[in-house]
């Protein structure tokens, strides 16, 4: 599949998720835009807004974990096996904070796809400073 078609497929999947989402998905993902994808990768961008923050006004750790889950799954869909799988393990490491107005880049990559397990990694980056805000690893069971 050519990269342009892959990117459009990812955008269609994301749009469907946002449109059909019940509350949570619809609200938090609405302003997240897919900017790249293909060959086991996916990148999204967004600006931190109130709905993405915790009571301290910083990027919510739970939202970051949701991003790792969702964006790595999209990356896996661009791998030649093209299977979404189901989560077996998701691990987060939080390194820095982001505040309302910060521009964020989320980069997901497929490290390995085996017979029944896929291993993915994700970085959440502040686009202005280049600081890594969080790193996530995601293991998925696939058939």
């Amino acid at each position: 599949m050519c990269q342009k078609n892959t990117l459009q497929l990812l955008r269609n999947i994301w749009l469907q998720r946002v449109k059909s989402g019940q509350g949570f998905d619809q609200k938090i993902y609405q302003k997240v835009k897919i900017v790249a994808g293909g060959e086991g990768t996916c990148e999204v961008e967004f600006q931190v807004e109130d709905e993405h923050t915790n009571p301290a006004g910083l990027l919510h750790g739970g939202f970051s974990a949701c991003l790792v889950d969702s964006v790595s799954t999209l990356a896996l869909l661009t791998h030649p096996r093209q299977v979404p799988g189901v989560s077996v393990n998701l691990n987060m490491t939080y390194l820095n904070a982001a505040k309302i107005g910060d521009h964020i880049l989320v980069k997901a990559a497929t490290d390995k796809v085996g017979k029944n397990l896929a291993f993915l990694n994700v970085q959440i980056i502040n686009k202005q400073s280049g600081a890594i805000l969080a790193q996530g690893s995601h293991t998925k069971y696939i058939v």
Side-chain angles (χ1 to χ4, degrees), residues 32-35 42-46 67 71 74 104-106:
V32 176
K33 305 295 179 214
I34 296 174
V35 295
C42 183
E43 294 183 12
V44 304
E45 293 181 349
F46 67 99
L67 286 167
V71 180
L74 290 175
I104 307 300
L105 172 65
V106 182

Side-chain angles (χ1 to χ4, degrees), residues 81-133:
R81 294 259 313 256
Q82 295 182 326
V83 292
V86 294
S87 296
V88 173
N89 186 50
L90 192 138
N91 185 56
M92 295 295 300
T93 302
Y94 300 96
L95 303 166
N96 290 293
K99 62 187 179 317
I100 292 174
D102 287 350
H103 293 272
I104 307 300
L105 172 65
V106 182
K107 298 171 70 170
T110 305
D111 290 331
K112 179 181 178 180
V113 176
K115 181 179 177 185
N116 293 113
L117 292 176
F119 302 90
L120 304 109
N121 72 76
V122 179
Q123 287 189 326
I124 301 174
I125 303 163
N126 182 314
K127 283 188 67 175
Q128 291 109 312
S129 69
I132 297 173
L133 304 174

Side-chain angles (χ1 to χ4, degrees), residues 6-23:
T6 301
L7 188 54
Q8 189 57 49
L9 173 66
L10 290 174
R11 287 178 175 154
N12 289 342
I13 291 168
W14 194 255
L15 183 62
Q16 185 62 31
R17 180 172 187 169
V18 169
K19 282 185 174 181
S20 66
Q22 296 288 329

Side-chain angles (χ1 to χ4, degrees), residues 51-88:
E51 63 264 25
H52 305 128
T53 62
N54 60 24
L58 302 173
L59 183 63
H60 196 291
F63 176 57
S64 297
C66 288
L67 286 167
V68 168
D69 185 355
S70 298
V71 180
S72 64
T73 299
L74 290 175
L76 186 56
L77 286 172
T78 71
H79 185 273
R81 294 259 313 256
Q82 295 182 326
V83 292
V86 294
S87 296
V88 173

